[in-house]
Amino acid sequence: MPRVAKKRFPAPRRRRRILRRARRTTCQAVGLEGFRLLGDRILDLSPHGAMVAADAEVSAGEPVMLSFELDGEYVDAEAVVARVIEGWRPNDPGYAMGLRFTSIALQERLRIAGALEGTPPPVPTRELRPGL
């Protein structure tokens, strides 16, 4: 019996679960390997992660401890570098890292969500691709 090739469908596009907010604040992002300061400025924030301006070289998958002040109280979270923004594109914020929280108390996530309510999302810097 002849073998029939199966039609392959493209993988569904991953959509953000939670909208990021353009909340800038100071922080301390410390790499757990070598305990070195990676960055000290949050560029945007959500209850599930943050974009931090990086002052040291980072790589995707690197574990990070993030501490920042939010409305007068400190938030501590463990995170992993989900992506590295090299800063080569014209509208990139510079060398930065996208952090995905891996260990943060539910109470802290809810507090972040409440504090970000009413804060606008970051202004899009790239044009939408055709068909999206």
Side-chain angles (χ1 to χ4, degrees), residues 2-69:
R3 199 165 190 202
V4 178
K6 291 183 180 181
K7 185 174 180 181
R8 296 190 145 219
F9 293 98
R13 295 189 191 276
R14 293 182 60 176
R15 301 275 183 205
R16 280 191 199 280
R17 295 182 296 177
I18 302 292
L19 187 63
R20 292 179 296 131
R21 301 294 177 171
R23 179 72 175 254
R24 293 181 178 238
T25 187
T26 58
C27 71
Q28 286 191 342
V30 177
L32 296 180
E33 297 170 2
F35 203 72
R36 59 193 174 101
L37 183 64
L38 301 176
D40 60 2
R41 290 167 289 139
I42 290 180
L43 304 175
D44 63 47
L45 183 63
S46 86
H48 295 278
M51 182 182 299
V52 177
D55 298 326
E57 189 173 327
V58 296
S59 57
E62 187 172 341
V64 174
M65 177 58 87
L66 182 68
S67 181
F68 60 96
E69 187 178 0

Side-chain angles (χ1 to χ4, degrees), residues 38 58-64 79-84 96-100 102:
L38 301 176
V58 296
S59 57
E62 187 172 341
V64 174
V80 65
V81 177
R83 72 184 193 120
V84 177
M97 57 186 160
L99 300 178
R100 180 178 42 85
T102 56

